[in-house]
Amino acid sequence: MFRSRAKDEKAQDADKAPVTDSSQPRHPEAPKGRPTPKRSQAQSSRRSVANTSMTRKEAAKRQREERRTAMERQRQALASGDERYLPARDKGPVRRFARDFVDSRFNIAEFFLPMAVVILVLSMVRVASLQNVALLLWLVVIVLIVLDSFVTSFRLKKQLNERFAGENKRGAVAYALMRSLQMRRLRLPKPQVKRGERP
């Protein structure tokens, strides 16, 4: 009743405008040929599209594929030493230096497993003298590993304080000592320096 004549003319033009194909570009001043949907209708249609775009089964499959890809990337990074895809415990220049420090030297602790097998075999032989030798060897190995670990941790702390004065070095020494207990060929990430090479 109180609408202006200009609004009535625009409404009539919108009703008369032909419905065009959405693939063709529309002139910005031309009427769109359909009424603007209410906000509630637009939101509900968006929600329905978002919900029906991927089923639960497809989403689970996609998550599995992404996890598999991430694990494969991480496995390759552990072999090559690529910092981008390493696990969080192995990332950073401090951890890298700790790894290189351990890998560049001989550690008595890395021979613990083969020596433990030899000692176990000797202790199973029912000869008193061999069992005494096994017990003595066991004590010697433990003392040597403790001394070697102490020397390693002391030298590593000193090097870390010199090179990474303002950085967080928490847990780096324990990380290096755990690595020194593993045999060199079984260490992950793989050693990037040779024995005797300065890290």
Side-chain angles (χ1 to χ4, degrees), residues 21-85:
D21 186 13
S22 61
S23 62
Q24 294 179 351
R26 185 176 67 83
H27 192 273
E29 294 180 4
K32 61 185 175 183
R34 58 182 174 79
T36 304
K38 292 181 180 178
R39 180 180 288 182
S40 59
Q41 290 175 346
Q43 285 178 347
S44 64
S45 66
R46 277 201 301 270
R47 280 198 206 101
S48 63
V49 168
N51 290 337
T52 57
S53 61
M54 189 180 292
T55 62
R56 185 182 292 177
K57 193 173 182 181
E58 287 172 347
K61 186 179 178 182
R62 187 174 176 182
Q63 281 183 347
R64 278 198 304 272
E65 286 174 0
E66 287 174 356
R67 199 180 303 121
R68 194 179 298 120
T69 305
M71 290 295 289
E72 179 61 23
R73 264 201 219 126
Q74 196 176 95
R75 189 185 65 78
Q76 289 175 357
L78 287 169
S80 64
D82 189 353
E83 285 278 338
R84 293 173 297 169
Y85 304 114

Side-chain angles (χ1 to χ4, degrees), residues 70-142:
M71 290 295 289
E72 179 61 23
R73 264 201 219 126
Q74 196 176 95
R75 189 185 65 78
Q76 289 175 357
L78 287 169
S80 64
D82 189 353
E83 285 278 338
R84 293 173 297 169
Y85 304 114
L86 285 176
R89 67 182 175 85
D90 298 311
K91 278 187 179 178
V94 174
R95 296 295 170 105
R96 184 180 181 87
F97 179 80
R99 288 197 303 271
D100 292 347
F101 184 85
V102 170
D103 296 336
S104 65
R105 59 196 300 271
F106 279 97
N107 301 284
I108 297 171
E110 69 182 281
F111 303 109
F112 172 74
L113 196 59
M115 286 189 290
V117 172
V118 171
I119 292 167
L120 185 64
V121 169
L122 286 174
S123 64
M124 289 174 69
V125 177
R126 294 189 175 182
V127 178
S129 59
L130 285 177
Q131 287 180 347
N132 289 335
V133 168
L135 183 61
L136 185 62
L137 273 174
W138 190 249
L139 291 171
V140 168
V141 166
I142 289 173

